Amino acid sequence: MKISLDWLRTLIPTDKPAEEIGQLLTGSGLEVEGIEELESIPGGLRGVVLGTVLTCEKHPDADKLSLTTVDVGDATPRQIVCGAANVRAGLRVVVALEGATLYPAQGEPFKIKKSKIRGAASEGMICAEDEIGLGTSHAGIMELETELPNGTPAADYFGLGSDSVFEIGLTPNRADAASHYGVARELRALLRQPCHLPDVSQFHTPSEAAHNIGVLVEDAAAAPRYAGLLLENVQVGPSPEWLQRRLRSIGLSPINNVVDVTNFVLHELGQPLHAFDADQIMGGQIRVKRAAEGEKFVTLDGAERTLKGEDLVIADANGTPMALAGVFGGKTSGVSEATTRVFLESAYFNPAVVRKTSQTHQLKTDASFRFERGTDPHMVLVALKRAALLLQEVAGATIVAPVVDAYPTHIGHATVRLRLPRVEKLVGQYIAPERIRQILTDLDILIAEESQDEAGHTEWILSVPPHKVDVTREADVIEEILRIYGYNHVALRPHNAASFLAKFPNPDPEIIRQNTARLLSGQGFSEIITNSLTNSAYFEKGEERDETLVHILNYNSAELNVMRPTVLHSGLEVIRHNVNRRQRDLKLYEFGKTYHLVGGQYQEKNKLVIYLTGNAAAESWQQKSEKATFHQLASAVQQVLASLGFSAPTSQAVQHPYLAGGLTLLAQNQPVAHLGAVSGPVLKRLDVNQPVWYAELDWDWLTKKYKNSLVARELPKFPEVRRDLSLVVDKTVTFDQLQQIARRTEKKLLQQVNVFDIYEGENLGTDKKSYSVSFFLQDPTQTLTDQAIDGVMQRLIQQFEKQAGALIRK
């Protein structure tokens, strides 16, 4: 938001320099991000002053040059060579002194230097209007009529004062400061200096009118106040220079005098206005109503928009929309060069209604910016009167009817209780009650009632004006007090401490997350962070029922209209982006949230997801480049689970809507991880053209059940023994089933079970497969004998044959 200092000073007279005002505003929460210096003309006529020609003689060596002496306010007159035909003694002139840089109407800037012209010294330049950028005439030097003393800056004579423009980073809660008057109110409290609204005392309307524009508000909740004024004899044309200069100073381009006045009042008072061509209001009536679902409306930018039933529109008597209330006007009802009758609108609209329409149609305007944050309902008539007086001045308008003000329910001040001891507790420093009273008064917050509680502490009941939209609680009032009192005035204590100690979780989930991230990063995975919003079109095929999706009511983009029910699609978008740029070998992980609506309740869950695609390692002369495999993904998942204290999870066939085969790992009979290949339809929907391995871990459960206890054991003194078996089983039998049988059969000596080969072939049968499995046996108390080893293996063979129908290959 841009604020002109010159404009600001018309509302609060202050001689404070721009830098000091910028510091004050930043300290109070209106952060000044930059200050830009603006000049009416380039250079601002610095180094150019008024002077008087004392003498004028012909140059001894040039017929067309004159040798003059000019008084420019110094002790000694200056000798200047001048070539103008109209130079003469006694003439008041404009003189550019040595060192001044001039910006002519045409050509490049040039600097005035002390020089010799045809042998005569010249200590400056007597200027024509085009030479200093004030016009285009070069008929001769400027001839002035003024009583100002010699040496007066020419900028003062021509009224070309410079301006400073503040760029304020306005936060969403400070709608009260979204105008020059709003900033003036802030400075009033900071400087303890009065500010004032523009004078509208000369506003008068006829008590009766032969005709007027009627107003019918059909939705008072959406439009609590709607006012309008009819003006005739309006002459639409260019705005005067002062108005154009004001608008340009804050980055606006002048359009015409009517539109410029509405923009001027908007940025001066913070109250949006809209001007309708009164002749286009069919039936002579304004209806403030909800739009018909699906009806078409062409806005000022020429775009045809399909309206929704929740949009608030300004319509004529026939119900035809003329404007989106508080957002944008219509093309047919706007002011044009042919307009002579104007109906000026000033209203207070419900912020939520305006924001919804603005978001739905992706229309961001200066008006919607203010309406959706909350404007001042008490400013409606002030702004209307201000605009009407300006239109009388700049467009010759005539007020022909009384103001129409539909305001069925008065919006009063809010009531907030303030306990003075609470101020000290939250601020951390004592502030005298009289200083608090002074600050509140300067902020237009009135003390309606004073009392004491049972402990004898002072309490105030405050009356907060409606323009303070963000002040609704005691803490908000204290923040207002602290802003004006000054954060820098709150002294730091030698030993800062909180008044309570927070209970830190044990174990700390953030520490667990960091350790897991380091583990995966050490294996070559890269962490990504993706958007929690996603596209509902991804779930039109039934993987996620529509009723479980969490829809965004006011979404900025149709492609980001739901909260993601899975992290997978966000990661696939990242993979697609990289693959399309020939980065095909990716190892990624993300800690993210998923969102569901179940039984009318919103659910938020934390997940850890891992992606593996392309080649497992970069190609080099030392090794061949091989595609990433399921087992590499499974290894990463196993290491994560082991680091969390779940070193021996069981597994079963995966049942996951987005995976085409894989495993579900269980810990304590709880599914904690799903891993496998992303299904083809999902990859196609995301335009990913290469296979992707994906793992999804239930991070909430894993951190809740995290085991951080370490058990230290002495290294075994006796060697382990390995024995191998080749088991032919049905294809439906999984290795996990065989592993569970082995561990149930031998619980003391069996340390590890590992499959090192899987074979399927015609000689085994179409429904058979062979597992080559190694068993590692060890006794921590003695060396195993052949008899003990053979006994274990015989028991294992018997149970494999009995429970899995296995055939032992010799």
Side-chain angles (χ1 to χ4, degrees):
M1 182 183 73
K2 294 182 181 295
I3 294 294
S4 160
L5 179 57
D6 189 41
W7 192 345
L8 194 62
R9 283 173 172 156
T10 66
L11 302 171
I12 179 167
T14 176
D15 57 358
K16 298 286 186 183
E19 291 74 15
E20 184 175 344
I21 291 177
Q23 291 173 0
L24 287 171
L25 293 175
T26 299
S28 72
L30 296 180
E31 182 182 0
V32 176
E33 298 175 340
I35 302 176
E36 179 185 2
E37 296 298 327
L38 291 183
E39 297 168 331
S40 300
I41 63 172
L45 297 186
R46 282 187 292 273
V48 181
V49 299
L50 304 188
T52 300
V53 179
L54 300 179
T55 65
C56 179
E57 300 174 352
K58 288 291 184 182
H59 192 292
D61 296 323
D63 293 338
K64 293 184 178 181
L65 297 179
S66 298
L67 194 60
T68 68
T69 56
V70 184
D71 181 0
V72 293
D74 296 339
T76 304
R78 301 197 180 204
Q79 178 174 290
I80 300 176
V81 176
C82 180
N86 62 329
V87 64
R88 60 189 181 273
L91 190 65
R92 299 300 304 277
V93 292
V94 176
V95 181
L97 303 178
E98 179 185 349
T101 299
L102 300 185
Y103 295 80
Q106 294 182 349
E108 296 297 321
F110 60 93
K111 189 173 184 178
I112 302 299
K113 300 178 181 179
K114 187 175 181 179
S115 60
K116 283 189 176 184
I117 301 176
R118 294 290 184 92
S122 185
E123 302 174 293
M125 175 178 171
I126 305 175
C127 303
E129 67 175 40
D130 67 325
E131 292 170 332
I132 57 176
L134 285 178
T136 58
S137 174
H138 194 69
I141 59 174
M142 300 181 72
E143 300 184 18
L144 309 181
E145 293 184 5
T146 178
E147 299 298 326
L148 291 174
N150 295 324
T152 300
D156 294 347
Y157 172 79
F158 291 109
L160 300 178
S162 61
D163 192 10
S164 298
V165 178
F166 302 103
E167 183 67 47
I168 296 179
L170 194 70
T171 53
N173 64 316
R174 293 306 309 276
D176 61 298
S179 66
H180 283 76
Y181 181 65
V183 175
R185 280 188 305 218
E186 192 81 355
L187 287 175
R188 175 184 61 190
L190 293 167
L191 298 174
R192 299 290 346 276
Q193 187 173 332
C195 72
H196 58 84
L197 284 166
D199 182 16
V200 294
S201 61
Q202 298 304 310
F203 176 84
H204 301 288
T205 62
S207 58
E208 296 181 0
H211 58 275
N212 198 358
I213 302 295
V215 171
L216 176 62
V217 178
E218 300 180 14
D219 192 335
R225 187 173 195 179
Y226 188 93
L229 181 67
L230 180 62
L231 301 104
E232 294 184 352
N233 304 318
V234 178
Q235 300 173 22
V236 179
S239 296
E241 177 59 31
W242 71 266
L243 180 53
Q244 294 192 37
R245 188 168 64 250
R246 283 278 187 256
L247 296 178
R248 288 195 186 99
S249 70
I250 58 173
L252 297 181
S253 298
I255 299 173
N256 60 53
N257 47 9
V258 176
V259 175
D260 292 350
V261 163
T262 61
N263 286 333
F264 176 86
V265 174
L266 164 67
H267 288 276
E268 182 178 55
L269 302 179
Q271 173 62 43
L273 305 171
H274 187 70
F276 293 98
D277 186 330
D279 291 330
Q280 300 300 320
I281 303 176
M282 299 297 107
Q285 185 184 47
I286 290 282
R287 292 174 60 190
V288 185
K289 58 185 283 292
R290 299 284 184 167
E293 183 71 33
E295 71 176 314
K296 305 297 183 182
F297 176 58
V298 180
T299 46
L300 276 171
D301 57 0
E304 184 180 77
R305 303 179 189 277
T306 302
L307 303 184
K308 295 185 175 294
E310 58 193 9
D311 292 332
L312 187 70
V313 298
I314 311 301
D316 60 19
N318 300 325
T320 304
M322 298 185 297
L324 287 171
V327 181
F328 212 27
K331 186 174 183 179
T332 58
S333 62
V335 172
S336 67
E337 293 181 356
T339 299
T340 59
R341 301 173 67 239
V342 167
F343 183 76
L344 199 59
E345 168 195 280
S346 181
Y348 172 75
F349 296 116
N350 185 299
V353 173
V354 174
R355 175 167 175 77
K356 186 171 292 187
T357 298
S358 174
Q359 294 284 4
T360 298
H361 300 286
Q362 292 296 289
L363 285 170
K364 298 296 182 182
T365 62
D366 284 338
S368 68
F369 176 86
R370 286 158 178 81
F371 275 129
E372 67 187 37
R373 286 161 174 78
T375 56
D376 182 2
H378 298 173
M379 190 63 73
V380 168
L381 290 187
V382 177
L384 191 65
K385 294 175 181 179
R386 172 67 164 159
L389 291 173
L390 287 172
L391 286 175
Q392 285 181 327
E393 175 186 343
V394 306
T398 304
I399 301 171
V400 297
V403 172
V404 180
D405 187 12
Y407 193 20
T409 304
H410 180 76
I411 300 174
H413 289 209
T415 299
V416 178
R417 183 182 70 154
L418 176 66
R419 296 164 291 177
L420 293 192
R422 188 69 175 167
V423 177
E424 181 178 358
K425 184 175 181 62
L426 291 187
V427 172
Q429 182 169 306
Y430 174 77
I431 303 176
E434 287 309 309
R435 177 64 177 132
I436 296 175
R437 185 190 301 271
Q438 181 186 81
I439 291 173
L440 293 176
T441 301
D442 291 339
L443 291 173
D444 294 326
I445 299 176
L446 305 178
I447 301 173
E449 184 181 329
E450 300 185 36
S451 62
Q452 291 186 334
D453 62 14
E454 296 178 354
H457 298 141
T458 301
E459 289 187 359
W460 292 345
I461 302 300
L462 305 178
S463 178
V464 182
H467 70 260
K468 288 285 186 184
V469 294
D470 67 321
V471 181
T472 59
R473 306 168 301 164
E474 183 180 51
D476 299 330
V477 174
I478 296 173
E479 181 185 5
E480 292 290 290
I481 294 169
L482 181 56
R483 283 196 310 102
I484 304 304
Y485 179 74
Y487 296 101
N488 291 337
H489 292 157
V490 179
L492 292 177
R493 299 173 181 173
H495 304 287
N496 290 321
S499 58
F500 65 93
L501 289 177
K503 181 180 180 181
F504 291 96
N506 185 26
D508 188 339
E510 181 60 23
I511 299 299
I512 300 173
R513 192 197 71 81
Q514 291 176 4
N515 290 339
T516 304
R518 280 194 288 267
L519 173 65
L520 290 170
S521 296
Q523 298 180 40
F525 288 85
S526 298
E527 184 173 8
I528 60 174
I529 300 175
T530 59
N531 198 338
S532 294
L533 303 179
T534 190
N535 192 343
S536 61
Y538 292 155
F539 312 103
E540 292 176 350
K541 301 299 182 182
E543 289 89 346
E544 289 284 341
R545 293 175 299 170
D546 184 71
E547 60 266 22
T548 69
L549 294 177
V550 179
H551 290 268
I552 305 300
L553 298 180
N554 294 315
Y555 49 82
N556 288 325
S557 168
E559 295 182 353
L560 299 173
N561 61 344
V562 295
M563 304 293 286
R564 62 184 179 193
T566 175
V567 188
L568 172 62
H569 297 79
S570 303
L572 290 178
E573 289 176 341
V574 174
I575 291 174
R576 178 184 63 201
H577 179 86
N578 282 273
V579 169
N580 289 344
R581 287 155 182 79
R582 307 193 64 81
Q583 300 297 317
R584 299 181 178 277
D585 306 330
L586 301 170
K587 299 172 70 175
L588 309 172
Y589 69 94
E590 178 180 7
F591 294 90
K593 294 180 182 292
T594 62
Y595 307 86
H596 298 268
L597 179 61
V598 179
Q601 300 294 319
Y602 293 105
Q603 295 183 357
E604 180 179 296
K605 299 179 181 179
N606 289 286
K607 303 289 184 180
L608 166 61
V609 295
I610 304 173
Y611 307 87
L612 198 58
T613 185
N615 293 325
E619 186 176 8
S620 73
W621 62 272
Q622 294 177 309
Q623 60 183 7
K624 287 186 177 181
S625 179
E626 296 181 351
K627 295 292 183 183
T629 65
F630 169 80
H631 300 288
Q632 290 165 337
L633 176 69
S635 174
V637 173
Q638 292 278 9
Q639 291 187 54
V640 169
L641 294 177
S643 71
L644 299 174
F646 306 99
S647 56
T650 58
S651 63
Q652 63 185 29
V654 71
Q655 293 183 352
H656 193 283
Y658 306 119
L659 297 182
L663 292 177
T664 294
L665 302 183
L666 299 93
Q668 302 177 13
N669 294 322
Q670 172 71 27
V672 295
H674 306 283
L675 56 155
V678 179
S679 67
V682 175
L683 293 177
K684 183 178 180 180
R685 196 172 307 149
L686 272 295
D687 293 325
V688 177
N689 55 13
Q690 65 183 45
V692 177
W693 299 105
Y694 172 73
E696 180 180 288
L697 285 74
D698 186 344
W699 191 248
D700 284 327
W701 191 91
L702 290 172
T703 52
K704 182 179 179 180
K705 300 294 184 178
Y706 169 70
K707 301 175 183 178
N708 61 350
S709 58
L710 297 176
V711 178
R713 295 188 180 92
E714 182 182 6
L715 291 175
K717 299 179 180 178
F718 303 97
E720 68 178 13
V721 176
R722 169 177 170 170
R723 291 291 185 268
D724 298 338
L725 290 177
S726 182
L727 307 172
V728 178
V729 295
D730 292 339
K731 284 188 176 181
T732 57
V733 177
T734 65
F735 168 70
D736 184 67
Q737 291 175 308
L738 298 177
Q739 181 176 230
Q740 295 302 320
I741 293 172
R743 293 195 178 280
R744 288 195 300 267
T745 302
E746 178 54 53
K747 299 180 180 180
K748 180 181 179 182
L749 301 181
L750 183 61
Q751 303 298 320
Q752 183 181 350
V753 182
N754 180 55
V755 60
F756 59 89
D757 189 29
I758 301 176
Y759 173 74
E760 296 182 27
E762 294 181 358
N763 58 332
L764 292 179
T766 58
D767 58 347
K768 298 291 184 179
K769 62 182 174 182
S770 172
Y771 287 107
S772 296
V773 184
S774 56
F775 301 87
F776 295 87
L777 308 175
Q778 188 176 43
D779 190 333
T781 63
Q782 62 183 353
T783 301
L784 289 173
T785 63
D786 290 339
Q787 183 180 2
I789 296 170
D790 292 341
V792 171
M793 296 308 298
Q794 285 300 320
R795 291 195 301 274
L796 289 174
I797 291 172
Q798 292 175 2
Q799 293 303 316
F800 287 142
E801 292 174 340
K802 180 179 179 181
Q803 297 185 40
L807 173 65
I808 310 302
R809 297 179 68 188
K810 305 293 185 179

